[in-house]
Amino acid sequence: MPKVKIDGVELEVPAGITVLQACELAGVEIPRFCYHERLSIAGNCRMCLVEVKPGPPKPQASCALPVADKQEIFTTTPVVQKARNGVMEFLLINHPLDCPICDQGGECDLQDQAMGYGFDRSRFHENKRAVPDKELGPLVKTSMNRCIHCTRCIRFATEVAGVEELGATGRGESMEVTTYVEHALSTELSGNLVDLCPVGALTSKPYAFEARSWELSKTESVDVMDGLGSNIRVDTRGAQVMRVLPRLNDDVNEEWISDKTRHALDGLRHQRLDRPYVRRGGKLVEATWDQAFGAIEAKLKGLDGAKVAAIAGDQCDAESMVALKDLMKALGSPNIDCRQDGAKLDGPRGSYIFNPGVRGIDSADAILLIGTNPRWESPVLNARLRKRYLSGHCAIASVGPAVDHTYPVERLGAGPATLRDLVDDKLGFSEKLKAAKHPLIIVGMGALTREDGAAILALARDLAEKLDAVRTDWNGFAVLHTTAARVGGLDLGLVPAEGGRDVAGILAGCEKREIEVVYLLAADEIDTKRLGKAFVIYQGHHGDAGAHRADVILPGAAYTEKPGTYVNTEGRVQLGQRAAYPPGDAREDWAILRALSERLAKTLPYDTLSEVRARLVTVNKIFAALDQQAAGSWGAFGKAGTVSDAPFVSPIANFYMTCPISRSSKTMAECVASRAQLMAAE
């Protein structure tokens, strides 16, 4: 390890790092605009200048200069200070200085560094150049007069998002950052451009002129728009959620979030359920909590538990699901399920989680995608797959739909027949999987939600075991979930008890009038027409499909309005915090179920959130380990049998509208229209 001196202090640093990184290890702040830890080095802005000996007698860009043994680095000399003053003076030649109307004001790198390293006057009096704004779609607002040509946005779009649609044209004063072809960006990660921009050239279009950063209360939470469980920060003003931003977590989402996670928040303001309703004379009418509970009590009184069923939705927290399970058990009902899409998952924990973890993708040297389109099902995880591809020495293949993953993928086939050929060593990619030290098999819901999903799961297990992908030092069997509640529901055992019905059985029972009461806990992704004449209790936060069919509506809280426990696709238990309070008479979901149980004389044995969480640990001890990926047990799972020749189809046909919140979002509707326009143009 090389030894360097930084401002007179000697230390050892890892070989191969840059001077800027060495200074950070020493706790010395180096200003920068173009440098970013997760992007390639550009060396554009020259703000990170330092003096280095031995070396030429001039300041050098520390971001692009590798450390060397016995190097001396000076970061505060008069020469360095004068150079930084000059760079800042140059950067501000054409900057419009419109901080009072800029949405970046108050959290702008240019503001901060101008204060810390800038000069107190300018020697330039020429007219500032004018640059036309660009159209990047409904999510990113441009003000290109402010652009300082750091090229972070270009490098992110090319390297992380995998869409080479941004670039620079012209040279010198004529240089402009623009799209190669005038159209909206075709990436599900475009909102991250705003976070990366160190000035106000790229800002959030839906958030424009809405609030200032110092007006907002900031709450750390967890995303529920897909199964990844991205770490987020929810910013609120009063009772209103103003924006959602990513939090740093290298194990899960690094520092990226998808556009749906970031911008579907306006759906929290529309079509909300804020009071109970009871259906009378064929119409839903407002009611009190007592009247709603009374209607449920009257229907359930004396009813056999076998005629009662419950379905948990895709965004439920673990607290509400364990309360639902306990209530159904108290009512004597074995008919409960958390798998709205009918996924054939009900085995040991290792059969339904992303066993290697998201970070395990970085170690994989051969990856097989089965029945999944991760670009839509989990865009941030897909960016991690692309990152692994860019690092080299990793073959990636797919059995499933032909889509643009943003990285080269060898498409082996479309359906189960190809998977069978892989198991039988009839395809060339089998040799690559065998040669891999860390093979990774990712199975998506497009393979598991079919009628033959159990047989396909068994095939995938056979392949993993044949490749020796499941061993003490590595488990390369990974299930990619598309929903936030699925793993938590399976961990809590929200599957039919002995003699019980799954979702398909519940719907069939409703059609045959064998099921008379159905409790939908924020479950909107089922075919509500098949509920027949059943008495439907809907507990949720939006007036979506389930509420339209309901006979009684109990208004619950959305994910930003309650503290909740969620388990992501890799089995990591995470806590979401309350950022705002639910509207009107809406309440936290577990509290509604607890109150209803008392009315039904089946009182649940907990009164506080801490007691509910203690109950979670009683049901499954993995809930005691927060922010850790608990290993899954391995065993026999799936069910050998015949499989259909039908090709795998991704369960997500419209990335921007997959849940009641996103379907209620005006911003997401604009994204759908923009994407349709883009596809029509192609």
Side-chain angles (χ1 to χ4, degrees):
M1 294 175 66
K3 289 184 179 180
V4 298
K5 268 189 180 181
I6 301 176
D7 292 335
V9 179
E10 187 175 78
L11 74 156
E12 276 190 322
V13 298
I17 68 171
T18 63
V19 169
L20 187 150
Q21 291 170 321
C23 291
E24 285 188 334
L25 291 175
V28 177
E29 182 182 12
I30 302 293
R32 84 291 297 266
F33 290 113
C34 67
Y35 175 80
H36 191 277
E37 294 82 355
R38 303 191 194 278
L39 303 176
S40 61
I41 294 171
N44 293 342
C45 70
R46 319 308 287 180
M47 194 65 205
C48 63
L49 296 173
V50 296
E51 274 194 283
V52 178
K53 293 181 181 179
K58 64 176 183 178
Q60 299 188 64
S62 61
C63 70
L65 183 67
V67 293
D69 196 30
K70 298 180 181 179
Q71 200 172 46
E72 288 189 71
I73 303 163
F74 304 93
T75 67
T76 57
T77 62
V79 172
V80 170
Q81 291 177 347
K82 183 177 180 182
R84 290 174 181 171
N85 288 161
V87 169
M88 183 61 68
E89 195 175 356
F90 274 119
L91 287 175
L92 295 178
I93 291 174
N94 286 307
H95 198 79
L97 303 178
D98 52 358
C99 302
I101 62 160
C102 177
D103 276 316
Q104 198 87 324
E107 47 190 6
C108 174
D109 289 352
L110 188 63
Q111 281 183 328
D112 295 340
Q113 293 187 41
M115 287 292 293
Y117 305 97
F119 197 51
D120 62 353
R121 64 187 66 88
S122 175
R123 290 168 287 180
F124 295 91
H125 303 288
E126 291 79 12
N127 291 330
K128 294 180 183 291
R129 75 171 191 154
V131 182
D133 294 340
K134 309 300 186 289
E135 178 53 48
L136 300 184
L139 302 180
V140 181
K141 181 175 183 282
T142 62
S143 182
M144 301 312 292
N145 288 333
R146 302 169 185 159
C147 181
I148 62 170
H149 302 157
C150 71
T151 70
R152 279 187 181 183
C153 56
I154 298 172
R155 285 175 284 148
F156 174 83
T158 303
E159 297 166 14
V160 179
V163 291
E164 299 184 10
E165 297 172 349
L166 278 177
T169 62
R171 294 176 63 84
E173 191 180 57
S174 301
M175 178 177 170
E176 292 185 25
V177 173
T178 182
T179 52
Y180 294 117
V181 179
E182 189 75 16
H183 64 66
L185 295 175
S186 61
T187 172
E188 297 76 27
L189 299 168
S190 64
N192 295 290
L193 295 172
V194 175
D195 294 336
L196 287 170
C197 185
V199 296
L202 304 178
T203 55
S204 171
K205 191 174 285 188
Y207 179 70
F209 309 123
E210 290 289 332
R212 288 296 198 183
S213 59
W214 55 83
E215 299 177 307
L216 306 175
S217 299
K218 301 166 179 64
T219 307
E220 294 185 349
S221 193
V222 178
D223 173 49
V224 299
M225 294 294 163
D226 58 30
L228 184 62
S230 297
N231 286 211
I232 59 173
R233 192 187 84 195
V234 182
D235 289 358
T236 56
R237 184 173 60 190
Q240 188 170 335
V241 176
M242 302 302 296
R243 64 179 180 178
V244 171
L245 299 175
R247 281 192 294 132
L248 179 66
N249 188 328
D250 283 332
D251 291 332
V252 182
N253 60 302
E254 297 186 305
E255 58 188 86
W256 320 123
I257 55 175
S258 73
D259 289 343
K260 184 166 52 179
T261 297
R262 187 186 298 266
H263 289 296
L265 60 91
D266 63 314
L268 293 167
R269 307 169 200 163
H270 307 299
Q271 292 186 267
R272 291 303 303 272
L273 299 174
D274 59 357
R275 66 202 70 185
Y277 288 84
V278 175
R279 191 175 295 277
R280 292 178 184 146
K283 292 184 178 181
L284 287 168
V285 296
E286 293 181 20
T288 64
W289 280 105
D290 186 63
Q291 290 169 335
F293 284 171
I296 297 170
E297 180 187 19
K299 186 64 180 178
L300 289 175
K301 191 171 183 179
L303 189 64
D304 182 3
K307 296 184 177 181
V308 180
I311 302 173
D314 292 340
Q315 295 181 335
C316 295
D317 55 282
E319 290 85 353
S320 63
M321 287 192 288
V322 77
L324 179 67
K325 180 184 177 183
D326 290 346
L327 179 59
M328 289 299 110
K329 184 176 180 180
L331 293 172
S333 172
N335 309 313
I336 188 168
D337 204 351
C338 65
R339 303 162 299 180
Q340 283 192 96
D341 54 10
K344 307 303 186 290
L345 292 167
D346 183 17
R349 196 167 197 257
S351 70
Y352 61 78
I353 66 171
F354 204 98
N355 287 285
V358 175
R359 203 159 195 164
I361 293 171
D362 301 339
S363 302
D365 47 4
I367 300 173
L368 176 65
L369 307 175
I370 302 174
T372 180
N373 174 13
R375 180 173 177 179
W376 281 9
E377 295 168 27
S378 185
V380 177
L381 184 139
N382 191 64
R384 196 114 185 188
L385 289 169
R386 174 174 169 78
K387 176 183 174 184
R388 179 65 190 92
Y389 155 72
L390 290 174
S391 67
H393 309 295
C394 182
I396 306 177
S398 77
V399 180
V403 295
D404 177 10
H405 292 87
T406 71
Y407 45 87
V409 173
E410 181 183 349
R411 187 166 182 254
L412 305 177
T418 306
L419 181 57
R420 171 65 71 185
D421 289 343
L422 277 169
V423 175
D424 295 339
D425 290 338
K426 294 181 180 178
L427 293 177
F429 196 77
S430 300
E431 297 304 316
K432 295 180 181 179
L433 288 170
K434 283 181 181 179
K437 292 182 179 178
H438 300 104
L440 175 57
I441 299 169
I442 301 178
V443 187
M445 292 301 110
L448 302 179
T449 55
R450 301 156 42 117
E451 289 295 326
D452 56 0
I456 292 168
L457 185 62
L459 276 175
R461 187 202 72 211
D462 290 345
L463 179 61
E465 292 175 346
K466 188 171 183 179
L467 295 171
D468 195 25
V470 181
R471 51 185 194 264
T472 53
D473 64 328
W474 173 257
N475 188 334
F477 184 85
V479 175
L480 178 57
H481 289 277
T482 58
T483 63
R486 186 63 48 77
V487 176
L490 293 171
D491 283 341
L492 292 170
L494 263 77
V495 293
E498 187 176 350
R501 298 171 181 261
D502 60 8
V503 167
I506 291 170
L507 296 177
C510 290
E511 290 176 321
K512 298 175 183 177
R513 301 197 179 185
E514 295 170 354
I515 298 292
E516 296 186 18
V517 176
V518 180
Y519 201 115
L520 301 180
L521 181 60
D524 296 277
E525 314 306 323
I526 61 172
D527 184 359
T528 55
K529 295 177 182 177
R530 296 187 61 196
L531 292 171
K533 300 291 184 181
F535 184 86
V536 178
I537 306 160
Y538 179 80
Q539 179 180 328
H541 42 79
H542 274 76
D544 207 75
H548 291 168
R549 173 57 187 82
D551 295 287
V552 174
I553 293 176
L554 306 177
Y559 74 104
T560 57
E561 299 159 359
K562 60 185 176 184
T565 304
Y566 302 91
V567 188
N568 76 347
T569 192
E570 60 178 353
R572 184 184 301 271
V573 179
Q574 302 185 107
L575 288 183
Q577 303 295 342
R578 178 194 289 119
Y581 284 89
D585 293 333
R587 296 291 182 266
E588 292 178 31
D589 292 298
W590 75 264
I592 295 172
L593 287 156
R594 167 62 179 79
L596 177 59
S597 72
E598 187 172 354
R599 181 64 178 265
L600 299 175
K602 306 287 185 183
T603 306
L604 299 178
Y606 29 78
D607 299 313
T608 65
L609 180 62
S610 59
E611 290 176 350
V612 181
R613 287 180 171 167
R615 171 64 179 153
L616 290 175
V617 177
T618 302
V619 175
N620 193 327
K621 63 182 180 181
I622 66 104
F623 286 95
L626 295 178
D627 297 317
Q628 299 176 32
Q629 187 203 354
S633 56
W634 191 260
F637 57 85
K639 186 177 181 181
T642 57
V643 294
S644 165
D645 290 333
F648 295 135
V649 178
S650 173
I652 296 179
N654 180 355
F655 165 74
Y656 295 104
M657 292 186 172
T658 56
C659 66
I661 297 173
S662 56
R663 284 193 288 268
S664 301
S665 167
K666 179 182 176 184
T667 304
M668 292 296 98
E670 291 173 354
C671 289
V672 172
S674 175
R675 182 60 64 90
Q677 188 177 19
L678 181 61
M679 293 177 68
E682 292 175 351

